[in-house]
Amino acid sequence: MKNNAIGSSFDDFLLEEGISDEVESGAIKKIIAYQLQEAIAKEQLTKTALAAQLYTSRAAVNRLLDPENESITLLTLKRAAHVLGKKLRLELV
């Protein structure tokens, strides 16, 4: 790693280390898992009830809510959002 001058950014550090995409993906999944858990609590749903409404297993719901599991499909996220009265919004920036 290079010795950076004062004022270099954290984003620059992540790019230099070659881990920017990995860190960003992990952060996004953690945010999604947190938002889903908040919506589930607000709706007072159990994981079992959510699984039933999603026509899936409780294990699948656990994977959906696992902040470390980044392999969730967009369809699964969209279905979960719909069940929770939310919309899934993605944007490219």
Side-chain angles (χ1 to χ4, degrees):
M1 181 171 79
K2 294 190 285 186
N3 186 3
N4 293 327
I6 295 175
S8 65
S9 73
F10 185 62
D11 289 337
D12 291 338
F13 167 76
L14 295 176
L15 286 170
E16 288 174 11
E17 294 298 312
I19 58 172
S20 180
D21 289 341
E22 179 182 339
V23 170
E24 184 175 356
S25 293
I28 289 169
K29 180 51 167 83
K30 284 175 179 58
I31 291 167
I32 290 171
Y34 174 79
Q35 289 176 338
L36 288 170
Q37 288 173 354
E38 289 290 306
I40 290 166
K42 183 179 178 186
E43 295 297 319
Q44 299 180 339
L45 284 175
T46 63
K47 290 180 183 178
T48 303
L50 179 60
Q53 290 186 34
L54 291 172
Y55 302 103
T56 192
S57 67
R58 181 164 170 176
V61 170
N62 285 336
R63 287 190 299 274
L64 175 67
L65 299 176
D66 179 356
E68 303 300 320
N69 187 334
E70 297 175 23
S71 65
I72 304 304
T73 67
L74 289 176
L75 179 59
T76 300
L77 290 172
K78 183 179 177 183
R79 287 176 48 214
H82 177 75
V83 165
L84 295 167
K86 304 287 183 185
K87 286 189 175 186
L88 180 63
R89 183 180 68 192
L90 302 172
E91 63 182 79
L92 298 173
V93 291

